Amino acid sequence: MASDDTKARVEQLKVEGNAFHSQGDYAQARSKYSDAIKLDDGNAVLYANRAATYIALKHVIHMASQAVELDPKYGKAWARLGKSAYELHLYELSIKAWQEALGTLPSEELSDQDTQLRSQYEEGLRKSQEGLEAHQSRTMESDRLQAIPSDVKLPWVIALEMEDILTANNVLNSCAWPLMNAYKDFSEGVRYMKQLKKTETGIEGNLNALQAIVGGLLRDQRVFHMDSEDWIELLQLQVQFELTAFGGWPEGGAETVKEEAVKLLKEKGWKPTRLALASTIRAWFFRAYFVDRSGQNKATAMQYYNSIVEVLEWGASTWHDVPNSERGYIFQKTFVRAIKRIRMAAYLSALRESEGDSEYTVEELIDMANQMVDETTKNFPKDGDDEPMDKGAWYSFHVFPVADAHATLGAVFLQQGLSAKKDNEAEEAARMLAAAAKFYQKAAEMYPPDDEFFPYFLKVALEAYWHGGRPLSETLPLCERIWKALPAVFKIWGGYSSVSLKEQMHQLDQWAQRAYTGLLEEKYTMETPSASISNRSVHATVI
């Protein structure tokens, strides 16, 4: 129940909102009502009052639009339109209105009043442009990270439902294990994050949220989803909360953090150093993760990922004799490897979008992938290891990193093969495309047979064979392998797939039907090059 002080503050905000509303300042009224709702989200009167401001703002927009139609040189009407549109998050309309308002002012020899108006209009334009950029970023994040149909049973939910029967039958070769354990960590962290609340003295919450959320994502990124409109806002607040509580370093690069960590260790010992480093690394991870996945700035994402890896490798080397219980989980091989796995994917994405920018090179990406394979295979778990292994961890930290490295090499060779083919370098194209198919097949076969990536990577291998002119005797057996796997795969991934699996399989079906029809009609033989058959569907994927 709200305290008397809170109730009094809510009432005060409501009175202030009413006053602004009666004066016609609907934007300020809306702001006051929103502040009151944050303190008392069960007060129906506040929601009704705020709704009234929306209606009023729409009326203002309508009246201002009529005014500027009658007199396009009426700057103050454009300004009213810009301000009201901004409050309703109609940013493009707001930007246009502020630009038109600025256009009504003289270009030189401005009076004092015109100078003041120019400053006001420019400020309005700036805020609207920032609002549009923020909205586009959120939309991109939502499209890429949260675009999940509401009526679909999600893969991680299905995986959880499978736990008992998998356990009873001692079935380990299923993607349900890494998926359900990733979701358990992720959802626990989100639950902790949602306990966060602002108080009169500061912020109160659970200090284990970031550890759990990051842990879930490092197990399997596919469990990421945002289930509330304020998700990002809550995460930013949680990051700030934990950095402050643990004395992390929100600013500065890898060198700064290394220097500060050594200094803190000398002054206060392991516990505060461990907590400060962990909170810093997790804060950096979220900055990199969201900047990369929202498509905002690949260079910034890579800068953060590289800083994380630099600090982790430095700490693991510098304190190699220190037990994990002292130096912290972030320096364990599995944690470092999982970060590098995500960085590798980010680098591949950056390379694809760089259009020849020398900042990202194929050679460096190949080196990342080869190092991933080498380091992981050298450190497979052995009896007596002190690192606990739950069901699913084997896939998340020891199998999937190698599989993704193979898929990364496949992507590199596929692109090089296609480039060579375009340049009429037939021998080089055939060699590269054959390598691409080989690596994609290896990647597919490392995933459990019910994982979406098993048929997907086989389908990409088939694309490489298709482009390489391989015969139907090599591509049609791949189709058969894919179709055989689909019932188990669709049991988990039929409703929602991160790689649009149903669309991919539909494309493959269309191509295979043309191939089999041609074989029956004796238009083709099993030695017919696969590329002789219409390519409208089989290579629709952009790898």
Side-chain angles (χ1 to χ4, degrees):
M1 182 174 292
S3 67
D4 290 340
D5 288 342
T6 300
K7 290 179 179 178
R9 179 58 180 157
V10 168
E11 184 61 26
Q12 179 187 349
L13 288 167
K14 186 179 79 170
V15 169
E16 292 173 0
N18 292 346
F20 280 121
H21 195 280
S22 65
Q23 295 165 13
D25 193 342
Y26 305 116
Q28 286 289 353
R30 174 179 172 274
S31 178
K32 294 295 182 181
Y33 295 140
S34 294
D35 288 344
I37 287 170
K38 290 177 183 178
L39 297 175
D40 183 4
D41 60 4
N43 191 323
V45 173
L46 297 175
Y47 286 99
N49 286 3
R50 188 169 68 174
T53 66
Y54 278 98
I55 295 171
L57 284 166
K58 289 179 180 178
H59 179 68
V60 171
I61 288 177
H62 176 68
M63 297 301 292
S65 297
Q66 286 187 327
V68 296
E69 283 183 14
L70 292 171
D71 184 4
K73 299 296 183 181
Y74 188 18
K76 290 184 179 180
W78 283 115
R80 282 198 294 274
L81 178 58
K83 185 176 181 181
S84 301
Y86 174 84
E87 291 299 329
L88 290 179
H89 299 170
L90 303 173
Y91 299 116
E92 293 180 346
L93 175 59
S94 181
I95 289 170
K96 180 180 184 301
W98 288 117
Q99 290 172 336
E100 294 287 351
L102 284 166
T104 65
L105 297 174
S107 58
E108 53 188 16
E109 296 182 0
L110 275 70
S111 66
D112 290 343
Q113 182 181 7
D114 288 338
T115 301
Q116 185 177 357
L117 288 173
R118 175 176 289 278
S119 177
Q120 175 190 333
Y121 297 167
E122 287 176 343
E123 175 65 9
L125 177 60
R126 182 189 64 78
K127 289 175 63 177
S128 297
Q129 289 171 332
E130 289 177 352
L132 178 61
E133 290 173 5
H135 173 73
Q136 289 173 336
S137 296
R138 289 193 296 271
T139 300
M140 292 174 74
E141 289 167 357
S142 178
D143 287 345
R144 295 183 181 210
L145 306 175
Q146 193 187 0
I148 301 174
S150 59
D151 59 343
V152 165
K153 183 176 283 190
L154 300 169
W156 44 89
V157 175
I158 297 171
L160 282 170
E161 294 174 350
M162 295 171 61
E163 183 172 10
D164 288 344
I165 193 167
L166 291 175
T167 301
N169 290 281
N170 197 30
V171 176
L172 298 177
N173 191 24
S174 171
C175 69
W177 290 115
L179 200 59
M180 76 172 76
N181 286 326
Y183 178 63
K184 286 176 181 178
D185 285 352
F186 179 82
S187 60
E188 180 181 53
V190 171
R191 179 168 57 83
Y192 290 156
M193 182 179 75
K194 290 185 176 182
Q195 295 172 5
L196 203 65
K197 59 182 180 180
K198 292 182 179 180
T199 68
E200 294 179 356
T201 57
I203 304 175
E204 293 180 359
N206 191 308
L207 291 168
N208 296 308
L210 298 188
Q211 177 181 340
I213 295 174
V214 172
L217 293 177
L218 295 188
R219 283 177 177 271
D220 199 318
Q221 292 183 69
R222 292 174 291 184
V223 301
F224 183 91
H225 63 287
M226 296 181 286
D227 57 3
S228 62
E229 291 184 359
D230 61 347
W231 206 98
I232 294 294
E233 182 182 345
L234 282 173
L235 179 64
Q236 291 171 337
L237 197 60
Q238 184 73 39
V239 169
Q240 176 190 341
F241 175 55
E242 294 196 23
L243 281 171
T244 302
F246 293 137
W249 302 282
E251 304 300 331
E255 291 301 322
T256 299
V257 169
K258 288 189 284 186
E259 292 173 7
E260 292 296 323
V262 170
K263 193 184 305 179
L264 183 60
L265 178 60
K266 185 177 180 179
E267 294 174 355
K268 297 188 177 181
W270 269 115
K271 183 175 181 179
T273 305
R274 179 174 68 249
L275 295 175
L277 279 167
S279 62
T280 300
I281 291 300
R282 291 184 175 110
W284 284 359
F285 171 80
F286 281 120
R287 291 178 184 176
Y289 190 79
F290 284 101
V291 168
D292 173 44
R293 294 293 294 270
S294 65
Q296 295 176 51
N297 191 318
K298 297 293 183 181
T300 299
M302 291 308 307
Q303 181 181 351
Y304 275 116
Y305 281 132
N306 289 336
S307 293
I308 292 170
V309 171
E310 181 179 343
V311 171
L312 294 181
E313 290 185 332
W314 164 81
S317 174
T318 302
W319 300 315
H320 65 277
D321 291 330
V322 178
N324 287 327
S325 58
E326 291 287 348
R327 67 180 186 175
Y329 171 70
I330 62 171
F331 295 110
Q332 288 186 242
K333 287 184 174 65
T334 50
F335 187 95
V336 179
R337 184 183 306 139
I339 291 288
K340 287 183 175 180
R341 177 189 173 199
I342 293 176
R343 180 183 66 160
M344 182 173 64
Y347 195 98
L348 174 59
S349 176
L351 182 63
R352 285 168 171 162
E353 296 181 12
S354 65
E355 297 181 353
D357 190 336
S358 59
E359 184 177 1
Y360 308 107
T361 67
V362 168
E363 290 75 18
E364 186 172 1
L365 181 59
I366 291 174
D367 190 48
M368 284 183 182
N370 285 331
Q371 285 185 27
M372 179 68 71
V373 173
D374 185 55
E375 186 277 328
T376 308
T377 52
K378 284 181 179 177
N379 291 286
F380 276 154
K382 302 182 294 294
D383 291 339
D385 286 351
D386 59 357
E387 189 173 340
M389 283 279 290
D390 56 52
K391 293 174 183 175
W394 166 254
Y395 278 118
S396 295
F397 300 114
H398 302 282
V399 178
F400 289 170
V402 177
D404 285 0
H406 288 321
T408 299
L409 292 170
V412 169
F413 288 123
L414 179 57
Q415 187 58 53
Q416 291 185 336
L418 293 175
S419 296
K421 184 178 179 181
K422 183 179 179 181
D423 294 338
N424 295 317
E425 298 174 2
E427 187 175 338
E428 178 71 1
R431 187 170 67 86
M432 289 295 176
L433 291 167
K438 169 189 167 186
F439 279 113
Y440 271 116
Q441 282 189 264
K442 288 178 70 173
E445 289 160 0
M446 294 193 75
Y447 272 89
D450 58 1
D451 195 292
E452 61 175 345
F453 285 127
F454 178 76
Y456 175 71
F457 284 150
L458 286 181
K459 194 251 183 181
V460 182
L462 189 148
E463 292 179 22
Y465 279 139
W466 187 95
H467 285 290
R470 306 306 299 168
L472 293 177
S473 60
E474 294 183 36
T475 52
L476 288 179
L478 272 184
C479 288
E480 298 293 341
R481 288 189 66 190
I482 292 169
W483 289 331
K484 186 177 180 180
L486 289 182
V489 173
F490 280 138
K491 181 178 179 181
I492 297 175
W493 301 97
Y496 170 76
S497 169
S498 66
V499 292
S500 303
L501 197 58
K502 285 186 176 180
E503 180 182 347
Q504 297 290 330
M505 294 306 104
H506 177 66
Q507 295 168 1
L508 183 62
D509 284 347
Q510 288 184 316
W511 177 82
Q513 285 173 15
R514 286 193 288 274
Y516 281 118
T517 300
L519 287 169
L520 287 172
E521 295 174 351
E522 298 185 351
K523 290 167 53 179
Y524 311 133
T525 71
M526 290 299 284
E527 297 310 308
T528 297
S530 301
S532 299
I533 300 170
S534 173
N535 63 354
R536 286 173 298 174
S537 297
V538 69
H539 76 301
T541 305
V542 179
I543 304 302

